[in-house]
């Protein structure tokens, strides 16, 4: 033996064996308690990461829904906004500012749909007014427009929620893998919520709405909606026949020897209480053209609620191409009066006077704005505070008439209860509000001229209210004839029968001067 058997193999300075094999150290085993603590800490850390990812996903979904969960769309003549929001009970809210809301139990799930109806498209409204048959087409297309709007809303909401979650996750974790997990979870939450709503949709819920705001009165006002829709369709079919009858009546009456208007006669058309009836405009245009009207006087309640969407209804005033003198009724708001004032041929009076076609006209708006059924003519009398308010308004107009530098020929009020103080101030007072024609002499004032009060019916057939009963409210208007001295000589009461009454009546009365 040369003594090498007991020599240890030489190792390099890194501790490797000559063959290059790594040095093996004895395995150290941790105690069992420490191993369990390590696994527990790892599980806690993973759970914390999972909860963080879930929290970021939920926060991203909420941020995305708030930021991008809405779309604008056209529904019939309305510009509308559709929006989705988190909700435990689901459902749909249809907001009609400033009237209130309709609440529909349309679906279950954690999403709530809000439909806010905004401004009206005037061109589309005028198309509906000119063609009653287009109402059916508008109803059918509105369903498709709502469906398309909801589909775009769903896609936009999902995209917005996922994008917001990815951005938030990258900012929080600075880790693409965790951001991807959060984005996928956001997609699952958003799509699942919208899918739950779609799977539980109840189309019949639209027949059982709940109302908030002023719309609480809507069921009592419109009655049976389907019946009204059917009646309106039938009325639209009869309209052309009715207008033809107006033309024939004018031709016949013009040949009567009872009253022959002189060349200098001024013709005034008195209308009132149209209450948004679109067919009233066609009748007004026909009478204005056939009877050679010089001035149209409207004693209020051109709308029902005085809301901004209704303001487009007054756009037909400009189509008459005649001076249009208007005072505000209790269903008309300041916004309504402003919309009328924007028409190029309109004059809005509110304790002021104007001179049109040689006639000096004074008028004042109704002091109330009460667009609900409790103030309709069918609700009965008025209480003492309201009566005092109306009489005070009449006193204001009477004082203004007396101080007018030019003698006033016609005074305008909405409610005939306002007319009392005007006795002796002018020869004629025109009013509306009651939906019933009435002509009477106001109590005479010693030493003053007699005053006649003429109350118009409803030129709009009381609007939707006129279709509630078995006997629909007729459409009424009056043509007034004034001689060269601006004295009332005669008047024609025109009555167009309501639904199911395809008839037109004209009654001429010659005024006997005292």
């Amino acid at each position: 033996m040369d003594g090498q058997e007991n020599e240890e193999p030489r190792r390099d300075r890194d501790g490797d064996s000559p063959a290059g094999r790594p040095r093996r150290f004895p395995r150290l085993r941790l105690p069992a308690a420490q191993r369990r603590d390590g696994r527990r800490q790892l599980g806690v850390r993973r759970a914390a990461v999972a909860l963080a990812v879930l929290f970021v996903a939920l926060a991203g979904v909420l941020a995305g829904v708030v930021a991008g969960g809405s779309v604008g769309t056209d529904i019939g003549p309305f510009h509308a906004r559709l929006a989705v929001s988190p909700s435990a009970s689901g459902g749909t809210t249809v907001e009609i500012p400033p009237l209130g809301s309709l609440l529909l139990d349309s679906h279950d799930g954690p999403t709530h749909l809000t439909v806010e109806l905004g401004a009206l498209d005037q061109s589309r409204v005028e198309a509906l007014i000119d063609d009653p048959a287009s109402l059916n087409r508008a109803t059918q297309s509105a369903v498709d427009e709502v469906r398309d709007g909801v589909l775009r809303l769903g896609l936009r909401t999902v995209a917005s929620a996922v994008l917001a979650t990815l951005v938030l996750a990258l900012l929080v974790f600075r880790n693409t893998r965790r951001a991807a997990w959060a984005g996928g979870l956001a997609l699952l939450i958003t799509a699942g919520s919208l899918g739950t709503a779609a799977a539980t949709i109840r189309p019949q819920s639209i027949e059982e709405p709940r109302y908030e705001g002023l719309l609480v009165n809507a069921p009592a006002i419109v009655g049976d909606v389907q019946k009204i829709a059917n009646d309106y369709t039938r009325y639209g079919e009869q309209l052309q026949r009715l207008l033809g009858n107006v033309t024939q009546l004018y031709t016949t009456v013009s040949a009567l020897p009872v009253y022959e208007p002189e060349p200098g006669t001024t013709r005034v058309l008195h209308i009132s209480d149209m209450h948004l009836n679109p067919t009233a405009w066609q009748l007004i245009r026909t009478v204005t053209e056939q009877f050679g009207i010089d001035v149209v006087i409207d004693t209020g309640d051109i709308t029902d609620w005085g809301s901004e969407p209704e303001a487009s209804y007054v756009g037909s005033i400009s189509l008459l191409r005649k001076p249009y003198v208007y005072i505000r009724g209790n269903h008309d708001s300041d916004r309504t009066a402003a919309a009328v004032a924007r028409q190029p041929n309109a004059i809005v009076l509110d304790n002021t006077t104007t001179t049109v076609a040689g006639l000096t006209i004074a008028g004042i708006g109704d002091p109330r704005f009460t667009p609900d059924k409790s103030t309709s003519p069918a609700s009965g009398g008025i209480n003492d505070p309201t009566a005092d308010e109306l009489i005070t308004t009449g006193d204001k107009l009477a004082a203004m008439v007396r101080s007018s530098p030019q003698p006033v020929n016609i005074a305008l009020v909405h409610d005939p209860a306002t007319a009392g103080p005007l006795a002796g101030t002018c020869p004629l007072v025109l009013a509306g509000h009651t939906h019933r024609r009435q002509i009477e002499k106001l109590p005479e004032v010693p030493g003053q001229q007699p005053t006649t009060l003429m109350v118009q019916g409803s030129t709009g057939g009381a609007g939707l209210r006129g279709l509630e009963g078995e006997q629909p409210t007729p459409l009424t208007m009056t043509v007034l004839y004034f001689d060269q001295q601006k004295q009332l000589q005669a008047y024609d009461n025109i009555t167009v029968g309501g639904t199911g009454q395809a008839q037109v009546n004209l009654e001429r009365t010659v005024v006997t001067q005292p």
Side-chain angles (χ1 to χ4, degrees):
M1 291 292 192
D2 55 6
Q4 293 180 350
E5 295 179 354
N6 295 326
E7 285 186 2
E8 292 184 0
R10 289 176 301 176
R11 304 179 184 278
D12 57 21
R13 67 181 59 181
D14 294 330
D16 291 339
S17 65
R21 294 191 301 269
R23 181 180 179 181
R24 294 183 177 181
F25 296 95
R27 178 179 294 179
L28 298 176
R29 293 184 60 84
L30 295 173
Q34 294 183 6
R35 292 199 302 273
R36 286 195 298 271
D37 289 342
R39 287 194 296 268
R40 186 180 301 109
Q41 292 176 2
L42 180 61
V44 170
R45 188 162 56 251
R46 288 177 177 174
V49 171
L51 288 175
V53 170
L54 177 60
F55 177 79
V56 169
L58 290 174
V61 168
L62 289 176
V65 169
V66 171
S70 65
V71 296
T73 188
D74 290 332
I75 301 177
F78 287 95
H79 297 300
R81 187 182 74 89
L82 307 182
V84 66
S85 59
S87 171
S89 58
T92 299
T93 299
V94 181
E95 296 182 353
I96 312 176
L99 307 183
S101 304
L102 277 70
L103 308 180
L104 307 176
D105 186 19
S106 57
H107 61 272
D108 299 325
T111 58
H112 184 85
L113 175 65
T114 300
V115 181
E116 182 177 349
L117 299 181
L120 284 167
D121 186 325
Q122 183 168 341
S123 61
R124 301 181 76 176
V125 172
E126 290 178 354
L128 293 177
I129 292 174
D130 293 333
D131 181 13
S134 64
L135 288 173
N136 292 332
R137 295 193 298 271
T139 301
Q140 296 170 1
S141 63
V143 175
D144 297 331
E145 290 166 349
V146 171
R147 184 183 297 112
D148 294 342
V150 170
L151 179 60
R152 287 193 295 112
L153 175 63
L155 295 176
R156 179 184 175 93
T157 302
V158 170
S160 178
V162 172
L163 179 60
T165 301
L166 289 175
V167 172
L168 182 61
L170 288 173
L171 292 175
V172 172
F173 299 120
R174 301 184 183 276
N175 183 297
T176 55
R177 183 180 179 184
R178 293 178 181 176
W181 274 105
L185 190 57
L187 176 63
L188 181 63
I189 293 172
T190 310
S193 300
L194 297 177
T196 301
T200 59
I201 193 167
R202 291 181 288 274
Q204 70 277 11
S205 64
I206 197 170
E207 299 176 2
E208 300 175 351
R210 292 182 291 114
Y211 300 88
E212 288 184 350
L214 293 175
L215 287 179
V216 169
N217 298 292
I221 291 174
V222 303
D224 186 342
V225 176
Q226 186 61 46
K227 176 181 179 298
I228 289 176
N230 294 336
D231 288 345
Y232 184 81
T233 301
R234 289 164 48 206
Y235 189 83
E237 294 170 353
Q238 297 171 2
L239 182 61
Q240 295 305 319
R241 226 178 345 159
L242 295 172
L243 298 182
N245 289 342
V246 171
T247 301
Q248 293 176 5
L249 276 176
Y250 174 71
T251 303
T252 302
V253 171
S254 297
L256 292 177
V258 178
Y259 172 68
E260 182 66 26
E262 298 177 357
T265 296
T266 302
R267 295 172 172 84
V268 175
L269 179 61
H270 178 204
I271 62 176
S272 189
D273 296 81
M274 286 197 284
H275 290 290
L276 293 176
N277 187 342
T279 60
W281 287 121
Q282 300 186 50
L283 180 60
I284 292 169
R285 286 201 294 267
T286 299
V287 173
T288 300
E289 295 170 1
Q290 292 293 331
F291 284 71
I293 298 300
D294 300 300
V295 183
V296 179
I297 291 178
D298 183 349
T299 48
D301 277 1
I302 194 172
T303 60
D304 254 339
W305 301 92
S307 64
E308 182 176 357
E310 292 175 291
S312 297
Y313 175 77
V314 309
S316 294
I317 291 175
S318 61
L319 302 178
L320 299 177
R321 304 186 186 280
K322 299 291 182 181
Y324 191 96
V325 182
Y326 161 87
I327 61 168
R328 191 182 65 254
N330 63 291
H331 282 260
D332 301 328
S333 64
D334 291 336
R335 183 177 295 171
T336 304
V340 174
R342 287 194 294 268
Q343 305 308 309
N345 57 321
I347 302 169
V348 177
L349 299 180
D350 195 6
N351 205 29
T352 53
T353 63
T354 186
T355 299
V356 183
L359 289 167
T360 300
I361 305 170
I364 191 168
D366 197 280
R368 304 161 295 179
F369 176 53
T370 48
D372 53 54
K373 194 172 183 181
S374 65
T375 62
S376 69
S379 64
I382 55 178
N383 55 33
D384 291 341
T386 301
D388 292 340
E389 186 179 22
L390 293 173
I391 293 173
T392 300
T393 301
D395 286 331
K396 289 172 57 178
L397 182 59
M400 193 271 297
V401 170
R402 292 189 184 96
S403 63
S404 174
Q406 293 181 323
V408 171
N409 304 115
I410 308 173
L412 311 180
V413 296
H414 177 64
D415 193 324
T418 311
L422 292 164
T425 63
C426 60
L428 181 63
V429 178
L430 302 182
H433 183 65
T434 63
H435 299 179
R436 293 189 302 273
R437 265 204 192 105
Q438 181 181 353
I439 300 176
E440 64 178 69
K441 293 285 187 180
L442 293 179
E444 291 192 15
V445 177
Q448 301 294 330
Q449 60 184 327
T451 300
T452 301
L453 171 64
M454 300 183 70
V455 182
Q456 188 57 269
S458 174
T459 307
L464 292 180
R465 296 180 184 87
L467 299 177
E468 286 184 311
E470 294 298 325
Q471 298 296 327
T473 303
L475 281 64
T476 65
M477 58 185 64
T478 301
V479 179
L480 307 170
Y481 299 91
F482 294 85
D483 61 15
Q484 295 184 2
Q485 288 71 41
K486 307 311 174 188
Q487 295 292 320
L488 181 63
Q489 299 296 307
Y491 55 89
D492 293 336
N493 283 331
I494 301 173
T495 304
V496 178
T499 306
Q501 302 172 6
Q503 61 189 27
V504 179
N505 296 323
L506 187 148
E507 179 183 354
R508 169 161 292 179
T509 302
V510 177
V511 176
T512 302
Q513 296 300 329

